[in-house]
mmCIF file with all atom_site columns, all heavy atoms in Angstrom:
data_model
loop_
_atom_site.group_PDB
_atom_site.id
_atom_site.type_symbol
_atom_site.label_atom_id
_atom_site.label_alt_id
_atom_site.label_comp_id
_atom_site.label_asym_id
_atom_site.label_entity_id
_atom_site.label_seq_id
_atom_site.pdbx_PDB_ins_code
_atom_site.Cartn_x
_atom_site.Cartn_y
_atom_site.Cartn_z
_atom_site.occupancy
_atom_site.B_iso_or_equiv
_atom_site.pdbx_formal_charge
_atom_site.auth_seq_id
_atom_site.auth_comp_id
_atom_site.auth_asym_id
_atom_site.auth_atom_id
_atom_site.pdbx_PDB_model_num
ATOM   1   N  N   . GLY K 1 46  ? 34.706 -65.965 -37.228 1.00 98.00 ? 1001 GLY K N   1
ATOM   2   C  CA  . GLY K 1 46  ? 34.108 -64.666 -37.422 1.00 98.00 ? 1001 GLY K CA  1
ATOM   3   C  C   . GLY K 1 46  ? 34.741 -63.974 -38.592 1.00 98.00 ? 1001 GLY K C   1
ATOM   4   O  O   . GLY K 1 46  ? 35.882 -64.249 -38.970 1.00 98.00 ? 1001 GLY K O   1
ATOM   5   N  N   . LEU K 1 47  ? 33.960 -63.016 -39.121 1.00 98.00 ? 1002 LEU K N   1
ATOM   6   C  CA  . LEU K 1 47  ? 34.515 -62.204 -40.234 1.00 98.00 ? 1002 LEU K CA  1
ATOM   7   C  C   . LEU K 1 47  ? 33.713 -60.864 -40.247 1.00 98.00 ? 1002 LEU K C   1
ATOM   8   O  O   . LEU K 1 47  ? 32.550 -60.803 -40.019 1.00 98.00 ? 1002 LEU K O   1
ATOM   9   C  CB  . LEU K 1 47  ? 34.280 -62.936 -41.590 1.00 98.00 ? 1002 LEU K CB  1
ATOM   10  C  CG  . LEU K 1 47  ? 34.957 -62.303 -42.822 1.00 98.00 ? 1002 LEU K CG  1
ATOM   11  C  CD1 . LEU K 1 47  ? 36.479 -62.622 -42.792 1.00 98.00 ? 1002 LEU K CD1 1
ATOM   12  C  CD2 . LEU K 1 47  ? 34.399 -62.879 -44.108 1.00 98.00 ? 1002 LEU K CD2 1
ATOM   13  N  N   . ALA K 1 48  ? 34.471 -59.791 -40.471 1.00 98.00 ? 1003 ALA K N   1
ATOM   14  C  CA  . ALA K 1 48  ? 33.899 -58.494 -40.501 1.00 98.00 ? 1003 ALA K CA  1
ATOM   15  C  C   . ALA K 1 48  ? 33.989 -57.913 -41.928 1.00 98.00 ? 1003 ALA K C   1
ATOM   16  O  O   . ALA K 1 48  ? 34.947 -58.271 -42.670 1.00 98.00 ? 1003 ALA K O   1
ATOM   17  C  CB  . ALA K 1 48  ? 34.629 -57.581 -39.543 1.00 98.00 ? 1003 ALA K CB  1
ATOM   18  N  N   . GLN K 1 51  ? 37.117 -56.868 -43.774 1.00 98.00 ? 1006 GLN K N   1
ATOM   19  C  CA  . GLN K 1 51  ? 38.054 -57.890 -44.145 1.00 98.00 ? 1006 GLN K CA  1
ATOM   20  C  C   . GLN K 1 51  ? 37.822 -58.397 -45.583 1.00 98.00 ? 1006 GLN K C   1
ATOM   21  O  O   . GLN K 1 51  ? 38.719 -59.090 -46.158 1.00 98.00 ? 1006 GLN K O   1
ATOM   22  C  CB  . GLN K 1 51  ? 37.918 -59.111 -43.180 1.00 98.00 ? 1006 GLN K CB  1
ATOM   23  C  CG  . GLN K 1 51  ? 38.451 -58.757 -41.779 1.00 98.00 ? 1006 GLN K CG  1
ATOM   24  C  CD  . GLN K 1 51  ? 38.341 -60.007 -40.857 1.00 98.00 ? 1006 GLN K CD  1
ATOM   25  O  OE1 . GLN K 1 51  ? 37.329 -60.298 -40.322 1.00 98.00 ? 1006 GLN K OE1 1
ATOM   26  N  NE2 . GLN K 1 51  ? 39.463 -60.683 -40.762 1.00 98.00 ? 1006 GLN K NE2 1
ATOM   27  N  N   . GLU K 1 87  ? 44.568 -65.474 -29.607 1.00 97.00 ? 1042 GLU K N   1
ATOM   28  C  CA  . GLU K 1 87  ? 43.628 -64.963 -30.565 1.00 97.00 ? 1042 GLU K CA  1
ATOM   29  C  C   . GLU K 1 87  ? 44.346 -64.885 -31.947 1.00 97.00 ? 1042 GLU K C   1
ATOM   30  O  O   . GLU K 1 87  ? 45.526 -64.703 -32.025 1.00 97.00 ? 1042 GLU K O   1
ATOM   31  C  CB  . GLU K 1 87  ? 43.235 -63.514 -30.110 1.00 97.00 ? 1042 GLU K CB  1
ATOM   32  C  CG  . GLU K 1 87  ? 41.923 -63.024 -30.697 1.00 97.00 ? 1042 GLU K CG  1
ATOM   33  C  CD  . GLU K 1 87  ? 41.370 -61.816 -29.951 1.00 97.00 ? 1042 GLU K CD  1
ATOM   34  O  OE1 . GLU K 1 87  ? 41.310 -61.897 -28.676 1.00 97.00 ? 1042 GLU K OE1 1
ATOM   35  O  OE2 . GLU K 1 87  ? 41.037 -60.884 -30.585 1.00 97.00 ? 1042 GLU K OE2 1
ATOM   36  N  N   . GLY K 1 88  ? 43.531 -65.060 -32.951 1.00 97.00 ? 1043 GLY K N   1
ATOM   37  C  CA  . GLY K 1 88  ? 44.070 -64.950 -34.351 1.00 97.00 ? 1043 GLY K CA  1
ATOM   38  C  C   . GLY K 1 88  ? 43.119 -64.169 -35.223 1.00 97.00 ? 1043 GLY K C   1
ATOM   39  O  O   . GLY K 1 88  ? 41.988 -63.856 -34.780 1.00 97.00 ? 1043 GLY K O   1
ATOM   40  N  N   . CYS K 1 89  ? 43.488 -63.964 -36.426 1.00 98.00 ? 1044 CYS K N   1
ATOM   41  C  CA  . CYS K 1 89  ? 42.627 -63.182 -37.322 1.00 98.00 ? 1044 CYS K CA  1
ATOM   42  C  C   . CYS K 1 89  ? 42.984 -63.606 -38.789 1.00 98.00 ? 1044 CYS K C   1
ATOM   43  O  O   . CYS K 1 89  ? 44.152 -63.791 -39.142 1.00 98.00 ? 1044 CYS K O   1
ATOM   44  C  CB  . CYS K 1 89  ? 42.963 -61.698 -37.194 1.00 98.00 ? 1044 CYS K CB  1
ATOM   45  S  SG  . CYS K 1 89  ? 41.987 -60.654 -38.270 1.00 98.00 ? 1044 CYS K SG  1
ATOM   46  N  N   . LEU K 1 90  ? 41.896 -63.808 -39.560 1.00 97.00 ? 1045 LEU K N   1
ATOM   47  C  CA  . LEU K 1 90  ? 42.090 -64.247 -40.955 1.00 97.00 ? 1045 LEU K CA  1
ATOM   48  C  C   . LEU K 1 90  ? 42.798 -63.188 -41.743 1.00 97.00 ? 1045 LEU K C   1
ATOM   49  O  O   . LEU K 1 90  ? 43.462 -63.525 -42.783 1.00 97.00 ? 1045 LEU K O   1
ATOM   50  C  CB  . LEU K 1 90  ? 40.710 -64.526 -41.615 1.00 97.00 ? 1045 LEU K CB  1
ATOM   51  C  CG  . LEU K 1 90  ? 39.936 -65.705 -41.069 1.00 97.00 ? 1045 LEU K CG  1
ATOM   52  C  CD1 . LEU K 1 90  ? 38.508 -65.751 -41.654 1.00 97.00 ? 1045 LEU K CD1 1
ATOM   53  C  CD2 . LEU K 1 90  ? 40.673 -67.012 -41.341 1.00 97.00 ? 1045 LEU K CD2 1
ATOM   54  N  N   . SER K 1 91  ? 42.853 -61.966 -41.254 1.00 98.00 ? 1046 SER K N   1
ATOM   55  C  CA  . SER K 1 91  ? 43.615 -60.899 -41.953 1.00 98.00 ? 1046 SER K CA  1
ATOM   56  C  C   . SER K 1 91  ? 45.066 -60.845 -41.505 1.00 98.00 ? 1046 SER K C   1
ATOM   57  O  O   . SER K 1 91  ? 45.832 -60.028 -41.989 1.00 98.00 ? 1046 SER K O   1
ATOM   58  C  CB  . SER K 1 91  ? 42.936 -59.581 -41.703 1.00 98.00 ? 1046 SER K CB  1
ATOM   59  O  OG  . SER K 1 91  ? 41.689 -59.499 -42.290 1.00 98.00 ? 1046 SER K OG  1
ATOM   60  N  N   . VAL K 1 92  ? 45.439 -61.705 -40.530 1.00 97.00 ? 1047 VAL K N   1
ATOM   61  C  CA  . VAL K 1 92  ? 46.843 -61.759 -40.105 1.00 97.00 ? 1047 VAL K CA  1
ATOM   62  C  C   . VAL K 1 92  ? 47.185 -63.233 -40.216 1.00 97.00 ? 1047 VAL K C   1
ATOM   63  O  O   . VAL K 1 92  ? 47.339 -63.923 -39.131 1.00 97.00 ? 1047 VAL K O   1
ATOM   64  C  CB  . VAL K 1 92  ? 46.984 -61.223 -38.615 1.00 97.00 ? 1047 VAL K CB  1
ATOM   65  C  CG1 . VAL K 1 92  ? 48.451 -61.099 -38.295 1.00 97.00 ? 1047 VAL K CG1 1
ATOM   66  C  CG2 . VAL K 1 92  ? 46.286 -59.872 -38.481 1.00 97.00 ? 1047 VAL K CG2 1
ATOM   67  N  N   . HIS K 1 131 ? 36.424 -58.898 -30.837 1.00 98.00 ? 1086 HIS K N   1
ATOM   68  C  CA  . HIS K 1 131 ? 37.402 -58.886 -31.894 1.00 98.00 ? 1086 HIS K CA  1
ATOM   69  C  C   . HIS K 1 131 ? 36.762 -58.396 -33.194 1.00 98.00 ? 1086 HIS K C   1
ATOM   70  O  O   . HIS K 1 131 ? 37.305 -57.500 -33.872 1.00 98.00 ? 1086 HIS K O   1
ATOM   71  C  CB  . HIS K 1 131 ? 37.911 -60.368 -32.090 1.00 98.00 ? 1086 HIS K CB  1
ATOM   72  C  CG  . HIS K 1 131 ? 38.858 -60.532 -33.242 1.00 98.00 ? 1086 HIS K CG  1
ATOM   73  N  ND1 . HIS K 1 131 ? 40.169 -60.865 -33.091 1.00 98.00 ? 1086 HIS K ND1 1
ATOM   74  C  CD2 . HIS K 1 131 ? 38.689 -60.405 -34.600 1.00 98.00 ? 1086 HIS K CD2 1
ATOM   75  C  CE1 . HIS K 1 131 ? 40.786 -60.963 -34.301 1.00 98.00 ? 1086 HIS K CE1 1
ATOM   76  N  NE2 . HIS K 1 131 ? 39.874 -60.704 -35.247 1.00 98.00 ? 1086 HIS K NE2 1
ATOM   77  N  N   . GLU K 1 132 ? 35.552 -58.900 -33.544 1.00 98.00 ? 1087 GLU K N   1
ATOM   78  C  CA  . GLU K 1 132 ? 34.908 -58.470 -34.769 1.00 98.00 ? 1087 GLU K CA  1
ATOM   79  C  C   . GLU K 1 132 ? 34.463 -57.010 -34.704 1.00 98.00 ? 1087 GLU K C   1
ATOM   80  O  O   . GLU K 1 132 ? 34.591 -56.308 -35.730 1.00 98.00 ? 1087 GLU K O   1
ATOM   81  C  CB  . GLU K 1 132 ? 33.730 -59.373 -35.100 1.00 98.00 ? 1087 GLU K CB  1
ATOM   82  C  CG  . GLU K 1 132 ? 34.061 -60.847 -35.296 1.00 98.00 ? 1087 GLU K CG  1
ATOM   83  C  CD  . GLU K 1 132 ? 35.187 -61.062 -36.306 1.00 98.00 ? 1087 GLU K CD  1
ATOM   84  O  OE1 . GLU K 1 132 ? 35.402 -60.253 -37.221 1.00 98.00 ? 1087 GLU K OE1 1
ATOM   85  O  OE2 . GLU K 1 132 ? 35.849 -62.063 -36.191 1.00 98.00 ? 1087 GLU K OE2 1
ATOM   86  N  N   . HIS K 1 135 ? 37.104 -54.638 -35.587 1.00 98.00 ? 1090 HIS K N   1
ATOM   87  C  CA  . HIS K 1 135 ? 37.328 -54.462 -37.025 1.00 98.00 ? 1090 HIS K CA  1
ATOM   88  C  C   . HIS K 1 135 ? 36.501 -53.326 -37.584 1.00 98.00 ? 1090 HIS K C   1
ATOM   89  O  O   . HIS K 1 135 ? 36.960 -52.624 -38.471 1.00 98.00 ? 1090 HIS K O   1
ATOM   90  C  CB  . HIS K 1 135 ? 36.960 -55.769 -37.750 1.00 98.00 ? 1090 HIS K CB  1
ATOM   91  C  CG  . HIS K 1 135 ? 38.012 -56.805 -37.835 1.00 98.00 ? 1090 HIS K CG  1
ATOM   92  N  ND1 . HIS K 1 135 ? 39.242 -56.628 -38.486 1.00 98.00 ? 1090 HIS K ND1 1
ATOM   93  C  CD2 . HIS K 1 135 ? 38.025 -58.089 -37.374 1.00 98.00 ? 1090 HIS K CD2 1
ATOM   94  C  CE1 . HIS K 1 135 ? 39.981 -57.737 -38.383 1.00 98.00 ? 1090 HIS K CE1 1
ATOM   95  N  NE2 . HIS K 1 135 ? 39.283 -58.669 -37.735 1.00 98.00 ? 1090 HIS K NE2 1
ATOM   96  N  N   . HIS K 1 139 ? 40.287 -51.425 -36.083 1.00 98.00 ? 1094 HIS K N   1
ATOM   97  C  CA  . HIS K 1 139 ? 41.298 -52.002 -35.259 1.00 98.00 ? 1094 HIS K CA  1
ATOM   98  C  C   . HIS K 1 139 ? 41.551 -53.455 -35.405 1.00 98.00 ? 1094 HIS K C   1
ATOM   99  O  O   . HIS K 1 139 ? 40.586 -54.199 -35.570 1.00 98.00 ? 1094 HIS K O   1
ATOM   100 C  CB  . HIS K 1 139 ? 40.932 -51.680 -33.777 1.00 98.00 ? 1094 HIS K CB  1
ATOM   101 C  CG  . HIS K 1 139 ? 40.896 -50.226 -33.455 1.00 98.00 ? 1094 HIS K CG  1
ATOM   102 N  ND1 . HIS K 1 139 ? 42.005 -49.440 -33.482 1.00 98.00 ? 1094 HIS K ND1 1
ATOM   103 C  CD2 . HIS K 1 139 ? 39.840 -49.391 -33.091 1.00 98.00 ? 1094 HIS K CD2 1
ATOM   104 C  CE1 . HIS K 1 139 ? 41.659 -48.164 -33.198 1.00 98.00 ? 1094 HIS K CE1 1
ATOM   105 N  NE2 . HIS K 1 139 ? 40.359 -48.152 -32.922 1.00 98.00 ? 1094 HIS K NE2 1
ATOM   106 N  N   . LEU K 1 140 ? 42.744 -53.841 -35.371 1.00 98.00 ? 1095 LEU K N   1
ATOM   107 C  CA  . LEU K 1 140 ? 43.159 -55.272 -35.410 1.00 98.00 ? 1095 LEU K CA  1
ATOM   108 C  C   . LEU K 1 140 ? 43.635 -55.699 -33.997 1.00 98.00 ? 1095 LEU K C   1
ATOM   109 O  O   . LEU K 1 140 ? 44.203 -54.894 -33.268 1.00 98.00 ? 1095 LEU K O   1
ATOM   110 C  CB  . LEU K 1 140 ? 44.230 -55.457 -36.450 1.00 98.00 ? 1095 LEU K CB  1
ATOM   111 C  CG  . LEU K 1 140 ? 43.921 -55.205 -37.912 1.00 98.00 ? 1095 LEU K CG  1
ATOM   112 C  CD1 . LEU K 1 140 ? 45.111 -55.392 -38.825 1.00 98.00 ? 1095 LEU K CD1 1
ATOM   113 C  CD2 . LEU K 1 140 ? 42.747 -55.993 -38.394 1.00 98.00 ? 1095 LEU K CD2 1
ATOM   114 N  N   . TYR K 1 141 ? 43.496 -57.026 -33.769 1.00 98.00 ? 1096 TYR K N   1
ATOM   115 C  CA  . TYR K 1 141 ? 43.904 -57.481 -32.465 1.00 98.00 ? 1096 TYR K CA  1
ATOM   116 C  C   . TYR K 1 141 ? 45.407 -57.260 -32.165 1.00 98.00 ? 1096 TYR K C   1
ATOM   117 O  O   . TYR K 1 141 ? 45.822 -57.256 -31.017 1.00 98.00 ? 1096 TYR K O   1
ATOM   118 C  CB  . TYR K 1 141 ? 43.530 -58.997 -32.260 1.00 98.00 ? 1096 TYR K CB  1
ATOM   119 C  CG  . TYR K 1 141 ? 44.528 -59.975 -32.879 1.00 98.00 ? 1096 TYR K CG  1
ATOM   120 C  CD1 . TYR K 1 141 ? 45.505 -60.589 -32.067 1.00 98.00 ? 1096 TYR K CD1 1
ATOM   121 C  CD2 . TYR K 1 141 ? 44.496 -60.265 -34.236 1.00 98.00 ? 1096 TYR K CD2 1
ATOM   122 C  CE1 . TYR K 1 141 ? 46.394 -61.453 -32.624 1.00 98.00 ? 1096 TYR K CE1 1
ATOM   123 C  CE2 . TYR K 1 141 ? 45.434 -61.189 -34.792 1.00 98.00 ? 1096 TYR K CE2 1
ATOM   124 C  CZ  . TYR K 1 141 ? 46.384 -61.771 -33.951 1.00 98.00 ? 1096 TYR K CZ  1
ATOM   125 O  OH  . TYR K 1 141 ? 47.303 -62.609 -34.475 1.00 98.00 ? 1096 TYR K OH  1
ATOM   126 N  N   . GLU K 1 163 ? 40.837 -68.731 -36.348 1.00 65.00 ? 1118 GLU K N   1
ATOM   127 C  CA  . GLU K 1 163 ? 41.081 -67.366 -36.701 1.00 65.00 ? 1118 GLU K CA  1
ATOM   128 C  C   . GLU K 1 163 ? 39.774 -66.597 -37.016 1.00 65.00 ? 1118 GLU K C   1
ATOM   129 O  O   . GLU K 1 163 ? 38.775 -67.233 -37.469 1.00 65.00 ? 1118 GLU K O   1
ATOM   130 C  CB  . GLU K 1 163 ? 41.947 -67.388 -37.950 1.00 65.00 ? 1118 GLU K CB  1
ATOM   131 C  CG  . GLU K 1 163 ? 43.352 -67.935 -37.657 1.00 65.00 ? 1118 GLU K CG  1
ATOM   132 C  CD  . GLU K 1 163 ? 44.129 -68.049 -38.911 1.00 65.00 ? 1118 GLU K CD  1
ATOM   133 O  OE1 . GLU K 1 163 ? 43.996 -69.046 -39.639 1.00 65.00 ? 1118 GLU K OE1 1
ATOM   134 O  OE2 . GLU K 1 163 ? 44.893 -67.134 -39.170 1.00 65.00 ? 1118 GLU K OE2 1
ATOM   135 N  N   . GLU K 1 164 ? 39.830 -65.320 -36.772 1.00 69.00 ? 1119 GLU K N   1
ATOM   136 C  CA  . GLU K 1 164 ? 38.729 -64.466 -37.206 1.00 69.00 ? 1119 GLU K CA  1
ATOM   137 C  C   . GLU K 1 164 ? 39.179 -63.611 -38.358 1.00 69.00 ? 1119 GLU K C   1
ATOM   138 O  O   . GLU K 1 164 ? 38.861 -62.474 -38.402 1.00 69.00 ? 1119 GLU K O   1
ATOM   139 C  CB  . GLU K 1 164 ? 38.330 -63.626 -35.980 1.00 69.00 ? 1119 GLU K CB  1
ATOM   140 C  CG  . GLU K 1 164 ? 37.747 -64.461 -34.910 1.00 69.00 ? 1119 GLU K CG  1
ATOM   141 C  CD  . GLU K 1 164 ? 37.179 -63.644 -33.788 1.00 69.00 ? 1119 GLU K CD  1
ATOM   142 O  OE1 . GLU K 1 164 ? 37.321 -62.423 -33.821 1.00 69.00 ? 1119 GLU K OE1 1
ATOM   143 O  OE2 . GLU K 1 164 ? 36.547 -64.221 -32.906 1.00 69.00 ? 1119 GLU K OE2 1
HETATM 144 NI NI1 . NI  E 2 .   ? 39.911 -60.556 -37.310 1.00 80.10 ? 478  NI  E NI1 1
#
Side-chain angles (χ1 to χ4, degrees):
L1002 190 74
Q1006 292 183 276
E1042 202 163 310
C1044 180
L1045 293 172
S1046 295
V1047 190
H1086 177 116
E1087 297 310 333
H1090 274 298
H1094 295 296
L1095 297 178
Y1096 83 97
E1118 296 174 276
E1119 295 186 351

